[in-house]
């Protein structure tokens, strides 16, 4: 893989990870932690959680999801969060996070010899984003 392809790959992986983490923080983070009230559930966002939930939910869970996702009522938001818990979304995220960590760490390491300044910058950027508090 050439240097340009490596830059593209690490950039895409970091961007995907950042978006997935942002989706998790929107649902599970507090306003004090993330600086806003998360509204992905109410706004019917096609978030990582919604997509993964649909892959792992039972037919009855999917029906409840369809009834409550995208609704602003607090009871609907609570129900969707309960459904996420039923299919272990936090555990699924932890597994996903570990996958991205290994992949991104390996890609960053590949720049240590070929481009040390870029390696240092990527390491710092990754350190700011990886395992942000949930």
């Amino acid at each position: 893989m050439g240097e340009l392809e490596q830059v593209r790959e690490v950039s895409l992986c970091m961007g995907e990870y950042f978006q997935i983490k942002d989706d998790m923080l929107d649902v599970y983070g507090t306003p004090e932690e993330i600086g806003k009230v998360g509204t992905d559930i109410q706004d019917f966002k096609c978030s990582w959680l919604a997509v993964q939930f649909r892959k792992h939910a039972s037919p009855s869970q999917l029906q409840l999801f369809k009834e409550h996702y995208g609704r602003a009522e607090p009871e609907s938001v609570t129900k969707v969060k309960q459904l996420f818990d039923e299919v272990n979304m936090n555990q699924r995220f932890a597994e996903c996070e570990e996958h991205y960590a290994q992949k991104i760490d390996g890609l960053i390491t590949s720049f240590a010899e070929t481009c040390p300044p870029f390696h240092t910058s990527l390491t710092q950027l990754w350190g700011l984003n990886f395992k942000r508090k949930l």
Side-chain angles (χ1 to χ4, degrees):
M1 182 183 310
E3 240 179 59
L4 185 56
E5 290 84 17
Q6 286 177 291
V7 170
R8 182 179 188 279
E9 182 71 13
V10 73
S11 299
L12 288 172
C13 284
M14 289 176 86
E16 288 170 8
Y17 170 78
F18 181 82
Q19 185 59 57
I20 293 167
K21 182 73 170 221
D22 188 65
D23 290 348
M24 287 293 292
L25 288 168
D26 188 272
V27 171
Y28 293 107
T30 66
E32 295 78 25
E33 293 168 333
I34 63 173
K36 65 176 185 165
V37 174
T39 60
D40 282 3
I41 293 171
Q42 298 93 314
D43 294 341
F44 202 74
K45 295 278 179 87
C46 185
S47 70
W48 180 84
L49 286 104
V51 171
Q52 293 300 310
F53 175 82
R54 292 178 65 88
K55 288 181 181 178
H56 300 286
S58 69
S60 62
Q61 289 170 323
L62 279 173
Q63 183 58 43
L64 286 170
F65 183 77
K66 289 175 185 177
E67 292 171 14
H68 293 280
Y69 200 72
R71 299 187 58 137
E73 296 85 1
E75 302 81 25
S76 287
V77 174
T78 298
K79 185 60 184 176
V80 170
K81 288 182 180 183
Q82 288 171 347
L83 290 167
F84 286 164
D85 290 343
E86 288 175 16
V87 297
N88 302 311
M89 290 307 297
N90 278 308
Q91 179 60 38
R92 292 181 194 287
F93 172 73
E95 293 165 5
C96 175
E97 185 173 50
E98 185 58 33
H99 164 77
Y100 274 93
Q102 289 177 9
K103 186 171 183 176
I104 292 168
D105 285 343
L107 289 165
I108 290 172
T109 300
S110 71
F111 290 102
E113 289 184 24
T114 60
C115 190
F118 191 57
H119 173 264
T120 300
S121 296
L122 283 175
T123 300
Q124 291 172 346
L125 179 62
W126 182 231
L128 293 173
N129 289 301
F130 181 63
K131 297 249 180 190
R132 288 184 297 161
K133 188 174 181 178
L134 264 184

